[in-house]
Amino acid sequence: MAVYVALFVLIAGGAGVLTATADSPEIGFENPDFEVSEGDPIEVDGEEYVVAGVEGDDGAESSAVATIERNVTAEQSETWANESTVEVGDREWRVMITGEDPNEFTLVEELDRQAILEDDSQADNETVERDDGEYVVVTEDGESTLVPVEEYFPTPEERSYAEDDAFEYGDNTATVDNVTADQAVLVWEATETESIEIEGEAIVTIGETEFVANFPDASTVQLSSDIEGYEAQVAQIEQFQQYNSGLTRVLVLAFLSSLLLLGAAFIPSRY
């Protein structure tokens, strides 16, 4: 009985030592395509990216993330329907298109009549309707006068644009691409920021190339196009975990077997 107990203890001790001293393999790239930190440039397939941020998590590879960005110039367009209201240069305008086969449109300024009235201390804040039209009540020296709205309000500004004409629209220079009886189409080129998020130990496509990411520390990301090498490391880690799990089960079983044998040895005989 003592020999068997010693044998199981020896097995348990060996399994415990192997489990405690074995070093788990980790993902690592000896020669990554890129090893960069925040602010570093990356050129892939002729396109240049910049590392906008790296958020490693000190060993928690699954929660680590990096972001790379690049500026892309793309054509944008906008359609203005006839008689719609648009905002250009911090003012509102009405789009006016006339004719059956037009090649231009006119922007007619939309006056803020209410603001003009409120800014005039001598005028009532509302217009009045009479049988012969609309008026503004203006009071001067205690005497009120009805002024036709056509005379009181300034003449709205008008701006006409033909096809291929360009003008400032927001932060861009827009070109009149096409005008029909129903609408006008504007086009312009704008720079947009394209972002790609890279997660730890995940395969990401940048341009036309696939990379796998690794975070050796909290501020650095490695990118490697050696996908096969990465998959081989993953397989090695899985194999190690299987072996380690098996040794743990051997340790537990050997220990329980020793206790069972010791318990059986002290059971009193019935004879």
Side-chain angles (χ1 to χ4, degrees):
M1 183 71 70
V3 171
Y4 283 117
V5 170
L7 177 61
F8 281 123
V9 170
L10 182 62
I11 293 173
V17 170
L18 290 175
T19 301
T21 59
D23 292 329
S24 173
E26 297 179 352
I27 299 294
F29 305 138
E30 293 184 1
N31 297 298
D33 295 71
F34 302 100
E35 184 168 347
V36 290
S37 300
E38 183 174 345
D40 291 342
I42 297 176
E43 185 173 336
V44 181
D45 298 330
E47 298 291 341
E48 186 167 303
Y49 299 78
V50 175
V51 181
V54 179
E55 297 180 5
D57 201 8
D58 296 327
E61 188 77 15
S62 60
S63 62
V65 63
T67 304
I68 63 173
E69 297 178 346
R70 68 165 179 158
N71 292 328
V72 181
T73 300
E75 184 176 87
Q76 296 185 347
S77 66
E78 190 168 306
T79 300
W80 290 351
N82 188 20
E83 298 187 4
S84 63
T85 300
V86 296
E87 184 174 335
V88 179
D90 297 328
R91 286 190 284 173
E92 290 190 343
W93 307 76
R94 183 170 294 277
V95 180
M96 303 299 296
I97 304 175
T98 59
E100 296 182 357
D101 187 22
N103 63 355
E104 67 175 10
F105 67 91
T106 300
L107 294 179
V108 180
E109 183 184 13
E110 290 270 275
L111 296 176
D112 189 347
R113 291 188 170 187
Q114 187 63 40
I116 294 173
L117 291 173
E118 291 176 357
D119 193 50
D120 187 350
S121 60
Q122 294 180 330
D124 287 358
N125 288 341
E126 294 181 355
T127 60
V128 295
E129 294 283 348
R130 293 293 184 264
D131 293 339
D132 56 347
E134 187 177 8
Y135 294 87
V136 175
V137 179
V138 178
T139 302
E140 292 180 331
D141 299 328
E143 184 177 346
S144 297
T145 305
L146 293 179
V147 180
V149 292
E150 296 82 2
E151 297 179 12
Y152 177 83
F153 293 107
T155 302
E157 181 183 348
E158 295 186 5
R159 299 177 182 178
S160 295
Y161 300 99
E163 292 179 352
D164 297 327
D165 283 352
F167 61 95
E168 294 301 313
Y169 179 46
D171 296 327
N172 304 291
T173 299
T175 300
V176 182
D177 184 61
N178 178 256
V179 180
T180 66
D182 297 324
Q183 63 187 26
V185 179
L186 309 180
V187 295
W188 64 89
E189 287 189 346
T191 300
E192 300 177 340
T193 300
E194 177 186 272
S195 299
I196 300 177
E197 191 172 273
I198 302 170
E199 297 179 353
E201 297 185 10
I203 296 175
V204 61
T205 300
I206 304 175
E208 298 180 356
T209 305
E210 286 189 335
F211 295 93
V212 62
N214 179 54
F215 291 77
D217 55 56
S219 61
T220 305
V221 58
Q222 296 176 331
L223 297 174
S224 175
S225 57
D226 184 9
I227 307 299
E228 292 184 359
Y230 162 73
E231 292 176 344
Q233 292 185 64
V234 172
Q236 184 180 8
I237 292 174
E238 291 177 349
Q239 187 179 52
F240 172 83
Q241 291 174 343
Q242 290 177 355
Y243 288 162
N244 200 53
S245 177
L247 287 173
T248 302
R249 286 195 291 269
V250 169
L251 170 63
V252 172
L253 289 174
F255 180 73
L256 292 177
S257 298
S258 299
L259 292 179
L260 181 63
L261 289 174
L262 286 174
F266 289 99
I267 296 177
S269 175
R270 295 178 61 184
Y271 303 98

